[in-house]
Amino acid sequence: MKIVFFGGSGFLGSHVCDKLSEAGHDVTIVDLQPSKWLRPDQHMIVGSLLDENLVNETVQGADAVFDFAGIADIGECNARPVDTAKINVLGNVILLEACRLANVKRYVFASSLYVYGKSGGFYRCSKQSCELYIENYHAMHGLEYTILRYGSLYGPRADRRNAIYRFVSEALEKGEITYYGSPTALREYIHVEDAALSTVEILNPEYANQNIVLTGSQPMQVGELFRMIGEMLGRELKIVCQNDPNSGHYQITPYAFMPRVGRKMTPHLSIDLGQGVLRVMEEVHRGMNTGTEEIGGYLVHSDGGED
């Protein structure tokens, strides 16, 4: 399939693009910044989702279009509500209209579990709005879609906007983790590579016009995650929980408001949370200690000294 992927330079998008290319699809990435992980068999277009001429030209001849672009951090969305509406919502509508005119066969949208609840601030508002536009484009114009509601992602290529990456970074840097909520908050973390593999699978015909929930299979309290990180590091971590009710994040479950019910999809084989966190720890540690490489399972300095 010929696939145009908006937002393919980011954390989740780059992994999905990798899996799409590995599956034999022809992938064109459109993003504001060139992808650091661009493969030789992928095409890159630097541009904005709000550039209607660019969007209309790019989706011509595409079999499927992915919208993974926009502002994805809750705090950033709350601080930039106008930009969130422009980029997340208006950008989505511009892309939907371009897909309608180009007779694209499938529109794939990266949504969030936050669409179910009252948490998530302007981020939730933007995702709920996008879902409604997508469903109405299908009802009015027959544009087929798949909406993917992702849970708490983690894994390689993340930055400090990602919760687990930030937790591990703070633990390594200062032996302390600051958390906006309560340690009893429950999450179902899913490794980004598991999520990416499942995302490729939804191109199959049976997932057309479906809302799919993609989360991990290991529910865990955030406090237990902190203990796991501490045990891996072999140190007692100081945990500072702010218990901020205005953080925008949910406590136990995101479910309150009920949009169209989503089918939950669990990866057939998944990366164990503990092993996944360990890989993140190694990635962060390598970034803090430049000049190291992995040899025989150990990080060693390029001069031969073990780290």
Side-chain angles (χ1 to χ4, degrees), residues 10-30:
F11 167 49
L12 173 59
S14 65
H15 282 283
V16 177
C17 287
D18 282 353
K19 301 304 181 187
L20 287 168
S21 294
E22 290 169 10
H25 299 292
D26 179 4
V27 178
T28 295
I29 297 171
V30 186

Side-chain angles (χ1 to χ4, degrees), residues 73-123:
D73 181 73
I74 291 176
E76 187 176 356
C77 285
N78 287 341
R80 301 171 58 194
V82 175
D83 289 335
T84 298
K86 286 180 180 178
I87 300 169
N88 291 13
V89 182
L90 179 57
N92 174 64
V93 178
I94 289 172
L95 192 48
L96 282 168
E97 182 66 5
C99 289
R100 179 186 73 82
L101 295 173
N103 295 313
V104 170
K105 298 180 180 67
R106 184 83 70 85
Y107 186 83
V108 181
F109 179 70
S111 189
S112 167
L113 283 181
Y114 280 97
V115 298
Y116 285 112
K118 298 177 180 178
S119 304
F122 294 121
Y123 173 72

Side-chain angles (χ1 to χ4, degrees), residues 27-254:
V27 178
T28 295
I29 297 171
V30 186
D31 213 320
L32 291 173
Q33 301 294 332
S35 174
K36 293 186 289 185
W37 303 283
L38 188 72
R39 292 164 49 115
D41 56 352
Q42 294 173 342
H43 314 284
M44 183 77 222
I45 297 175
V46 177
S48 171
L49 185 62
L50 299 178
D51 185 338
E52 294 186 48
N53 291 330
L54 173 69
V55 170
N56 289 331
E57 292 174 7
T58 305
V59 303
Q60 289 296 322
D63 297 301
V65 171
F66 284 65
D67 181 9
F68 280 51
I71 304 175
D73 181 73
I74 291 176
E76 187 176 356
C77 285
N78 287 341
R80 301 171 58 194
V82 175
D83 289 335
T84 298
K86 286 180 180 178
I87 300 169
N88 291 13
V89 182
L90 179 57
N92 174 64
V93 178
I94 289 172
L95 192 48
L96 282 168
E97 182 66 5
C99 289
R100 179 186 73 82
L101 295 173
N103 295 313
V104 170
K105 298 180 180 67
R106 184 83 70 85
Y107 186 83
V108 181
F109 179 70
S111 189
S112 167
L113 283 181
Y114 280 97
V115 298
Y116 285 112
K118 298 177 180 178
S119 304
F122 294 121
Y123 173 72
R124 167 184 54 83
C125 293
S126 71
K127 292 299 183 182
Q128 287 179 343
S129 298
C130 288
E131 288 200 11
L132 288 172
Y133 269 102
I134 292 166
E135 290 168 0
N136 275 279
Y137 258 84
H138 171 65
M140 297 175 66
H141 303 296
L143 176 60
E144 293 197 341
Y145 69 90
T146 304
I147 292 172
L148 296 167
R149 295 171 182 153
Y150 291 100
S152 300
L153 295 158
Y154 75 100
R157 304 180 186 172
D159 57 28
R160 283 183 178 268
R161 291 173 295 183
N162 178 263
I164 286 186
Y165 186 94
R166 181 175 63 80
F167 298 157
V168 169
S169 297
E170 290 184 0
L172 281 167
E173 291 167 358
K174 55 186 180 181
E176 176 181 313
I177 297 175
T178 301
Y179 182 56
Y180 53 80
S182 164
T184 60
L186 196 66
R187 295 292 183 269
E188 292 183 335
Y189 295 104
I190 179 170
H191 195 278
V192 67
E193 292 187 4
D194 291 334
L197 281 170
S198 296
T199 301
V200 175
E201 186 177 339
I202 59 86
L203 287 173
N204 294 333
E206 62 265 31
Y207 295 105
N209 308 319
Q210 296 288 319
N211 298 52
I212 306 297
V213 174
L214 267 172
T215 65
S217 56
Q218 297 174 261
M220 176 178 283
Q221 288 187 348
V222 175
E224 291 298 316
L225 173 65
F226 296 155
R227 277 188 280 275
M228 176 191 292
I229 294 172
E231 287 179 6
M232 288 178 175
L233 293 175
R235 68 177 73 167
E236 190 75 24
L237 297 176
K238 179 182 178 181
I239 308 300
V240 179
C241 291
Q242 298 175 342
N243 296 295
D244 181 5
N246 299 314
S247 67
H249 295 262
Y250 63 89
Q251 169 71 5
I252 300 298
T253 173

